């Protein structure tokens, strides 16, 4: 048994729901106890969908246990078929139904419905949500794709690609699809089918008409694109176009697959100039800790390091299936990869890293809040505010703009930081004065709240009054780091107490 | 006044349905119960689905060092039962070492733990011996056994045998059901003014304050979903005081009155004590009655609060209930409510969600009370909804919350009018 409060991923049947809900004309009959319908609200509330997910639950109760549940499953499937007239149906069991040994596959087969019925094997006690989504999409593709279709001859037409991987409840999937479609269009490639998001079973049938596949999110698309390569000979892209460098690489890769010359288009993004402008100088070497799903974490590390000039001090992911990618990337930045689904381990790693910015999921947002470190969200799981109304892709050149704004805003910008430092002893800008936009009075509290931590006596040694006063002159948002560095330095040197001199010795030491 | 008999004399047709149920399981009760009992910890023994449900229902609360967690059953636990028990002991020991302030630990059963027949009551007994100083109990919050608020019922029913014995002939009043502290304090002040000296609450705020119970104890149910708890109390000789549930001016008056009568409080004194609160409640309701009177309302089943709330909305605000769905209808506890509910209201017990949604669409109610899985989809169809879970989390009982309770129903209608200028069908995802 594993003691858990927070889980980065839901159970695998939620992954299957993400695929079914993304598609049109597919219905999911899920053998599950009463109560499992809670998952509906992830889609209706977090993603704000205006339709119920296309899922029928058998919602069996204790009194149904026994021979009854198999009949319950069949009548639920029959009713769902009659009511929703889907073009294809997927059937499966949630964790509890997995234990009661009804066989949704056999039961559905026996019903002989006049549509394809795809049975899912999703081991709930060993696998999780991403696996569920990936496996479901793969099974749908495998069953529904017409294996005899070949792309039409290339003469007189533009190359065509399928966009594979976007699902319901995916972090920025909606806008990434728009952005990648635009990108492909600009280099002369048409999009054949986007799947699962917005696709019908009929769309899946004609996947073979495309010349190649774009594997947008390996977490959901990898199994399917590999099968398509093996079966239909469709090549697929390995680069996920998040960030300027990756987007350029992606363009080159697509051109290779499409047989087009690589265009020498400059990046259609403000991000490179924004990053080069002098106000961004202060971003240099900012220590950043990155955690999320493997795809987004690896992409974020590249952007952080090579496009924003940050120093990556931590990199990890929660999905073991793609841990290898993270391990390889971690080598590039000389950090220890963190592969865990235990948020307490992530919290410890963040605290130990002394980072100045956290890029992560909803969970890291809360950890960072507790540790008073700036943070931006780069990956699922996310809450409702990260399904925004405005266009906010992560991919392509517009995605790079979005990333620049999102990551930089939580940091104090250069000019602002400079002014704060310059005026730190000014009556209006000292810590006790609070922010001017809060009227200068009510704001003292939050700063004061943080003080007990700072003012606590240090063991061994402890701060002299003079050194403590000097420490208080350092702007509050870097003071914690200064305190930690100084104490670490004092401990290393075995100093009995921390004096003014120790403070500046430590500063010199860490400035190296 | 034997209310059960009265109800039997005037039977109401009740539509019983079976089919897909769009409801929470009893585990959800943990979200508010752990806030109420400050030194209790709730350890669900279940699957990743259970942990995911708690996380989805608890929202940001998950990050505030909450006093609940899930011991997720893994493949190797399924291999053999002995193994699972050892694992559970290990997890509990680890947990209690991390959280030494915990005095009451609930092992909460889930669908998976029940289907594999993991005996959590024996585990609780075994662990109680190895973990002195911590009371360890067990109840089921599984979806196969319990619906949403029934999780609280199961939890409180498990607490009843742990309550100390009250001295015989000690006359005391017990308020049963987790209420927000502010509401509980209001009720205590009213009972004190009435002259009822000894008032206890179940659940208590701390484990050491478990109420003494015995034949001298009379109890009021503050919530309509406490059938098993009431039974457990009656088994220990306590006496239930039937009453309306304390929603609105009338419900609260009737509820207080039941206690006043049981304690032989003078009628004039009773009226004098409740008059100010009752008048305040009525004043607060007036404002909302303008908006709500004549409006039709449809309740999908969720918490068992539906019948008393429909009674309140019909009688005190002039709304017209069309259908009142409840996951489970306790005939005896609901007897007074059913009598007070206007004629012609369809009461349905259980659910076949697609068929019920057909009835909603056909009736086109002005307001539909439903869960979060249905609310946005119905809004997209042009129906105004009130999401029901808020009724369980917000302070809504008693005189001074009557206006707030009415406002919860008025707000979606007010909003509908305010944003009426927006186009009806914005692009959907």
């Amino acid at each position: 048994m594993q003691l858990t409060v927070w889980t980065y991923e839901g159970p695998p049947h939620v992954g299957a729901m993400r695929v079914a809900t993304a598609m049109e004309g597919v219905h999911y009959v899920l053998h599950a106890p009463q109560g499992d319908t809670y998952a509906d609200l992830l889609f209706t509330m977090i993603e704000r969908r205006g339709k119920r997910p296309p899922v029928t639950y058998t919602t069996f109760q204790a009194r149904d246990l026994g021979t009854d549940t198999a009949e319950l499953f069949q009548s639920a499937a029959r009713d769902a078929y009659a009511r929703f007239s889907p073009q294809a149906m997927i059937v499966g069991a949630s964790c509890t139904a997995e234990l009661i040994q009804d066989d949704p596959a056999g039961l559905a087969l026996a019903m002989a419905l006049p549509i394809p019925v795809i049975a899912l094997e999703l081991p709930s006690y060993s696998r999780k949500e991403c696996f569920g989504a990936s496996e479901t999409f793969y099974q749908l593709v495998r069953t529904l794709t017409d294996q005899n279709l070949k792309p039409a001859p290339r003469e007189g037409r533009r190359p065509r690609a399928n966009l594979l991987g976007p699902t319901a409840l995916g972090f920025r999937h909606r806008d990434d699809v728009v952005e990648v479609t635009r990108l492909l269009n600009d280099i002369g490639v048409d999009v054949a089918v986007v799947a699962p998001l917005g696709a019908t079973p009929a769309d899946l049938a004609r996947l073979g008409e495309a010349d190649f596949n774009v594997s947008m999110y390996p977490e959901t698309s990898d199994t399917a694109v590999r099968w398509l390569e093996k079966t239909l000979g469709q090549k697929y892209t390995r680069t996920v176009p998040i960030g300027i460098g990756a987007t350029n690489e992606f363009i080159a890769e697509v051109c290779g697959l499409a047989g087009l010359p690589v265009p020498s288009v400059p990046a259609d993004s403000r991000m490179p100039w924004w990053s080069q402008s002098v106000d961004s100088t202060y971003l240099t070497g900012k220590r950043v800790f990155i955690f999320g799903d493997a795809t987004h974490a690896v992409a974020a590390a590249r952007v952080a390091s090579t496009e924003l000039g940050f120093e990556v001090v931590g990199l990890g992911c929660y999905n073991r299936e793609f841990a290898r990618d993270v391990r390889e990337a971690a080598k590039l930045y000389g950090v220890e990869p963190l592969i865990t689904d235990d948020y307490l381990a992530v919290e410890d790693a963040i605290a130990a890293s002394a980072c100045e910015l956290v890029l992560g999921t909803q969970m890291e947002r809360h950890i960072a809040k507790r540790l008073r470190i700036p943070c931006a969200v780069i990956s699922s799981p996310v809450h409702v505010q990260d399904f925004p109304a405005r266009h906010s892709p992560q991919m392509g050149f517009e995605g790079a703009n979005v990333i620049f704004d999102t990551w930089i805003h939580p940091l104090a910008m250069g000019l602002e930081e400079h002014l704060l430092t310059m005026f730190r002893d000014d009556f209006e800008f000292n810590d006790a004065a609070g922010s001017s936009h809060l009227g200068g009075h009510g704001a003292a509290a939050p700063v004061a709240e943080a003080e007990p931590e700072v003012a606590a006596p240090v063991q061994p040694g402890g701060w002299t009054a003079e050194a403590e006063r000097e420490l208080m002159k350092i702007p509050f948002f870097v003071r914690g780091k200064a305190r930690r560095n100084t104490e670490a330095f004092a401990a290393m040197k075995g100093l009995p107490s921390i004096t003014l001199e120790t403070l500046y010795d430590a500063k010199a030491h860490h400035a190296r | 006044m034997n209310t059960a008999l009265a109800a039997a004399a005037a039977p109401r047709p009740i539509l019983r349905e079976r089919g897909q149920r769009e409801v929470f399981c009893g585990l959800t009760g943990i979200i508010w119960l752990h806030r109420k009992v400050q030194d209790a910890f709730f350890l669900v023994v279940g699957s990743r689905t259970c942990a995911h449900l708690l996380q989805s229902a608890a929202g940001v609360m998950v990050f505030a060092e909450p006093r609940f967690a899930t011991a997720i059953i893994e493949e190797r636990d399924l291999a053999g039962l002995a193994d699972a028990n050892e694992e559970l002991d290990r997890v509990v020991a680890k947990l209690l070492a991390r959280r030494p302030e915990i005095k009451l630990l609930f092992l909460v059963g889930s669908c998976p733990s029940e289907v594999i027949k993991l005996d959590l009551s024996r585990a609780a007994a075994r662990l109680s011996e190895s973990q002195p100083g911590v009371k360890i109990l067990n109840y089921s919050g599984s979806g196969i056994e319990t619906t949403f608020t029934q999780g609280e019922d199961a939890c409180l029913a498990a607490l009843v045998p742990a309550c100390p014995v009250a001295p015989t002939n000690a006359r005391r009043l017990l308020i049963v059901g987790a209420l927000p502290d502010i509401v509980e304090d209001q009720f205590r002040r009213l009972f004190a003014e009435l002259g009822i000296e000894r008032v206890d609450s179940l659940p208590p705020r701390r484990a050491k304050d478990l109420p003494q119970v015995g034949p001298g104890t009379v109890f009021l149910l503050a919530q309509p979903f406490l059938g098993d708890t009431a039974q457990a109390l009656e088994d220990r000789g306590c006496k239930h005081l039937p009453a309306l549930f304390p929603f609105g001016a009338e419900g609260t008056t009737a509820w207080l009155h039941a206690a006043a009568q049981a304690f032989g409080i003078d009628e004039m004194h009773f009226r004098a004590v409740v008059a100010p609160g009752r008048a305040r409640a009525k004043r607060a309701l007036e404002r909302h009655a303008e908006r709500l009177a004549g409006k039709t309302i449809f309740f999908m089943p969720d918490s068992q609060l539906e019948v008393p709330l429909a009674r309140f909305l019909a009688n005190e605000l002039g709304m017209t209930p069309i259908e009142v769905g409840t996951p489970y209808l306790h005939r005896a506890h609901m007897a007074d409510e059913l009598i007070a509910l206007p004629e012609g209201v369809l009461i349905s017990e259980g659910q076949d969600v697609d068929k019920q949604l057909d009835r909603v669409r056909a009736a086109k109610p002005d307001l539909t009370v439903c869960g979060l899985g249905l609310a946005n989809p119905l809004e997209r169809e042009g129906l105004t909804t009130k999401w029901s879970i808020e009724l369980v989390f917000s302070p809504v009982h008693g005189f001074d919350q009557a206006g707030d309770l009415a406002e919860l129903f008025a707000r979606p209608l007010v909003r509908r009018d305010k944003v009426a200028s927006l186009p009806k069908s914005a692009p959907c995802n």
Side-chain angles (χ1 to χ4, degrees):
Chain A
M1 283 178 196
Q2 187 198 358
L3 187 60
T4 313
V5 177
W6 169 266
T7 92
Y8 283 98
E9 291 182 76
H13 72 259
V14 168
M17 285 182 71
R18 288 177 53 184
V19 172
T21 305
M23 293 184 66
E24 304 285 337
V26 173
H27 200 86
Y28 185 15
V29 179
L30 179 62
H31 204 18
Q34 165 177 272
D36 278 6
T37 51
Y38 82 86
D40 281 358
L41 67 85
L42 303 172
F43 300 91
T44 59
M45 296 304 293
I46 297 180
E47 203 177 16
R48 237 183 281 250
R49 281 184 177 259
K51 271 200 291 199
R52 292 172 65 207
V55 183
T56 294
Y57 306 78
T58 56
T59 57
F60 55 83
Q61 293 173 271
R63 62 179 180 212
D64 302 317
L65 290 177
T67 52
D68 225 348
T69 50
E71 164 53 26
L72 198 64
F73 176 83
Q74 285 194 319
S75 68
R78 203 174 298 120
D79 289 351
Y81 175 70
R83 180 174 281 268
F84 301 104
S85 331
Q87 297 164 37
M89 198 183 266
I90 53 181
V91 299
S94 82
C95 52
T96 304
E98 190 180 332
L99 299 171
I100 61 174
Q101 312 211 314
D102 290 333
D103 170 23
L107 290 169
L109 198 69
M111 293 171 63
L113 292 174
I115 51 166
V117 176
I118 298 143
L120 299 174
E121 283 295 331
L122 301 176
S124 311
Y125 296 91
S126 54
R127 308 309 292 265
K128 292 181 250 177
E129 182 178 329
C130 284
F131 171 83
S134 174
E135 176 68 13
T136 304
F137 184 47
Y138 161 65
Q139 291 295 347
L140 280 163
V141 166
R142 200 189 143 106
T143 312
L144 298 172
T145 300
D146 180 349
Q147 298 186 25
N148 298 318
L149 267 188
K150 293 271 170 282
R154 272 296 297 279
E155 290 77 42
R157 71 167 176 90
R158 308 210 308 174
R160 276 199 295 265
N162 299 314
L163 304 190
L164 302 183
T167 63
L169 219 60
F171 175 67
R172 307 297 167 85
H173 287 195
R174 177 196 70 192
D175 300 336
D176 283 348
V177 167
V178 172
E179 215 45 44
V180 172
T181 303
R182 182 182 303 164
L183 201 63
L184 293 180
N185 184 54
D186 287 351
I187 55 178
V189 175
D190 290 331
V191 169
V193 175
V194 180
L197 192 64
T200 62
D203 290 330
L204 292 190
R206 55 185 187 84
L207 284 177
E209 288 176 3
D211 300 301
F212 64 98
N213 291 318
V214 171
S215 178
M216 287 183 70
Y217 307 99
E219 271 81 358
T220 36
S221 53
D222 196 53
T223 321
V225 292
R226 284 199 277 143
W227 181 83
L228 286 167
E229 180 177 52
K230 198 177 75 184
T231 314
L232 301 183
Q234 286 173 328
K235 303 269 183 235
Y236 64 91
T237 57
R238 315 294 164 117
T239 314
V240 177
I242 297 178
I244 296 290
T247 300
N248 283 327
E249 212 171 292
F250 173 80
I251 290 172
E253 193 181 2
V254 165
C255 289
L257 294 177
L260 296 170
V262 181
S264 57
V265 285
D268 179 20
S269 173
R270 294 179 196 93
M271 194 263 226
W273 164 240
W274 251 238
S275 188
Q276 286 155 22
S277 80
V278 290
D279 194 48
S280 297
T281 311
Y282 283 78
L283 303 175
T284 314
K286 284 261 185 213
R287 298 165 60 84
V288 58
F289 188 99
I290 301 169
F291 195 83
D293 67 43
T295 297
H296 284 90
V298 169
R302 176 171 176 179
V303 173
S305 171
T306 63
E307 295 172 25
L308 293 171
F310 293 156
E311 182 189 352
V312 176
V313 295
L315 180 61
C317 73
Y318 55 78
N319 51 338
R320 285 174 194 283
E321 290 92 336
F322 290 84
R324 196 202 303 174
D325 300 349
V326 170
R327 290 203 184 91
E328 274 169 23
K331 276 187 216 145
L332 293 178
Y333 311 107
V335 296
E336 197 59 39
L338 178 67
I339 315 297
T340 182
D341 60 358
D342 178 358
Y343 74 97
L344 291 172
V346 178
E347 177 161 343
D348 290 347
I350 290 176
S353 74
C355 61
E356 294 159 279
L357 175 68
V358 174
L359 300 175
T361 72
Q362 179 75 2
M363 188 57 207
E364 282 67 45
R365 208 165 62 82
H366 285 270
I367 292 171
K369 197 167 166 185
R370 188 180 317 182
L371 299 174
R372 299 176 64 83
I373 305 170
C375 178
V377 170
I378 58 156
S379 156
S380 290
V382 294
H383 207 53
V384 60
Q385 68 269 38
D386 276 300
F387 287 93
R390 65 180 186 277
H391 183 59
S392 321
Q394 297 287 292
M395 292 185 176
F397 295 128
E398 179 59 19
N401 291 337
V402 170
I403 285 173
F404 182 90
D405 288 345
T406 311
W407 297 9
I408 302 315
H409 280 180
L411 297 169
M413 290 300 288
L415 187 61
E416 195 176 316
E417 191 167 328
H418 173 68
L419 291 173
L420 280 169
T421 312
M422 200 161 114
F423 295 122
R424 70 184 172 213
D425 290 327
D426 188 286
F427 73 98
E428 269 184 319
F429 286 92
N430 72 51
D431 295 339
S435 319
S436 55
H437 71 277
L438 294 174
H441 304 290
V447 175
E449 226 173 51
E451 293 312 295
E453 192 191 337
V454 173
V458 182
Q459 298 296 333
W463 291 68
T464 64
E466 192 187 22
E468 186 82 42
R469 269 198 305 280
E470 192 73 1
L471 180 71
M472 297 313 276
K473 292 179 192 165
I474 297 171
F476 68 91
F477 45 82
V478 289
R479 195 184 302 145
K481 184 183 167 198
R483 174 178 280 280
R484 276 196 302 277
N485 284 349
T486 310
E487 285 166 6
F489 178 77
M492 186 181 79
K493 296 275 174 191
L495 298 176
S497 71
I498 294 169
T499 63
L500 195 56
E501 198 157 291
T502 322
L503 181 65
Y504 284 110
D505 283 346
K507 186 168 190 280
H509 172 80
H510 286 285
R512 273 173 297 154
Chain B
M1 50 171 269
N2 189 329
T3 46
L5 270 182
R12 233 171 215 288
I14 288 166
L15 174 66
R16 284 215 167 67
E17 275 195 310
R18 283 186 71 176
Q20 182 182 323
R21 293 166 70 112
E22 185 89 14
V23 288
F24 282 123
C25 66
L27 294 181
T28 327
I30 292 170
I31 308 296
W32 66 87
L33 281 168
H34 91 283
R35 303 305 307 162
K36 184 70 196 176
V37 191
Q38 294 161 19
D39 51 2
F41 195 99
F42 293 79
L43 180 64
V44 177
V45 182
S47 63
R48 183 168 301 282
T49 310
C50 306
H52 197 233
L53 159 85
L54 282 179
Q55 167 176 321
S56 309
V60 294
M61 220 189 271
V62 168
F63 307 98
E65 276 288 315
R67 281 172 286 103
F68 60 81
T70 309
I72 294 185
I73 298 171
E74 293 168 300
E75 228 159 25
R76 57 203 181 91
D77 301 307
L78 297 173
L81 281 183
D83 219 349
N85 282 320
E86 277 170 32
E87 280 287 293
L88 184 59
D89 291 4
R90 182 182 60 80
V91 165
V92 168
K94 183 174 160 193
L95 173 69
L96 291 175
R98 250 180 74 94
R99 306 293 294 267
E101 77 281 14
I102 298 304
K103 295 287 175 270
L104 177 60
L105 174 67
F106 288 101
L107 301 180
V108 187
S110 66
C111 300
S113 75
E114 277 174 24
V115 167
I116 62 170
K117 303 208 181 333
L118 190 57
D119 191 340
L120 291 182
S121 67
R122 278 180 57 188
R126 185 180 67 238
L127 283 160
S128 289
E129 280 171 27
S130 63
Q131 302 283 348
V134 185
K135 203 186 286 293
I136 303 182
L137 300 173
N138 140 260
Y139 72 90
S140 168
S142 73
I144 57 177
E145 298 278 358
T146 58
T147 305
F148 194 29
T149 49
Q150 278 177 325
E152 175 173 333
D153 189 25
C155 173
L156 301 192
L159 272 178
V160 172
C163 290
V165 180
T168 39
N169 301 329
R171 198 80 173 126
R172 47 183 75 216
L173 175 65
L174 182 62
I175 307 171
V176 186
L179 292 170
D181 288 352
I182 185 169
V183 177
E184 191 184 310
D185 292 343
Q186 288 168 9
F187 284 147
R188 282 170 174 276
R189 283 198 296 272
L190 281 168
F191 287 126
E193 273 186 71
L194 285 172
I196 301 174
E197 280 162 16
R198 185 63 193 262
V199 180
D200 294 314
S201 295
L202 185 71
R205 294 183 198 185
R206 294 193 165 273
K208 67 173 168 50
D209 299 327
L210 270 178
Q212 298 178 348
V213 297
T217 307
V218 294
F219 66 91
L220 277 172
L221 294 178
Q223 300 280 22
F225 44 73
L226 299 171
D228 289 351
T229 309
Q231 186 62 53
L233 286 166
E234 282 169 358
D235 290 348
R236 291 198 56 178
C238 309
K239 187 172 171 295
H240 172 224
L241 301 175
L244 291 179
F245 290 94
F247 299 111
E250 287 173 23
T252 306
T253 305
W255 190 75
L256 294 169
H257 195 234
Q261 280 188 319
F263 281 79
I265 308 292
D266 174 65
E267 277 296 307
M268 292 302 287
H269 179 56
F270 173 77
R271 281 187 214 166
V273 168
V274 300
R278 187 179 162 81
R280 272 202 308 275
K282 294 209 166 219
R283 265 203 313 280
L285 291 175
E286 270 168 28
R287 203 157 58 86
H288 302 294
E290 264 175 57
R291 171 85 53 180
L292 293 173
K295 295 279 195 294
T296 55
I297 186 163
F298 194 117
F299 282 88
M300 307 284 281
D302 191 50
S303 62
Q304 297 184 48
L305 293 169
E306 296 83 4
V307 171
L309 290 177
R311 179 264 304 160
F312 160 70
L313 294 169
N315 296 349
E316 301 191 39
L317 292 156
M319 294 190 82
T320 307
I322 297 172
E323 175 173 337
V324 181
T326 177
Y328 175 72
L329 187 72
H330 193 296
R331 295 296 197 91
H333 291 169
M334 217 56 90
D336 286 357
E337 294 286 353
L338 289 173
I339 292 166
L341 201 61
E343 289 293 313
V345 181
L346 175 65
I347 297 178
S348 61
E349 185 183 13
Q351 187 177 35
D352 185 331
V353 70
D354 286 313
K355 287 188 188 149
Q356 195 171 36
L357 285 170
D358 289 344
R359 293 200 296 276
V360 170
R361 293 179 185 116
K364 294 194 176 58
D366 294 312
L367 193 62
T368 303
V369 183
C370 62
L372 289 173
L374 300 172
N376 269 336
L378 286 176
E379 292 277 352
R380 286 291 297 184
E381 292 182 26
L383 292 160
T384 305
T385 62
K386 165 75 214 112
W387 45 283
S388 52
I389 192 170
E390 197 178 13
L391 300 163
V392 177
F393 289 144
S394 313
V396 292
H397 297 70
F399 289 134
D400 291 309
Q401 283 67 240
D404 303 340
L405 179 56
E407 212 253 330
L408 289 178
F409 293 93
R411 195 183 301 154
L413 295 168
V414 173
R415 176 162 193 83
R416 192 89 177 165
D417 292 346
K418 279 190 187 288
V419 300
S421 63
L422 292 173
K424 288 244 173 344
S425 56
C428 189
N429 40 17

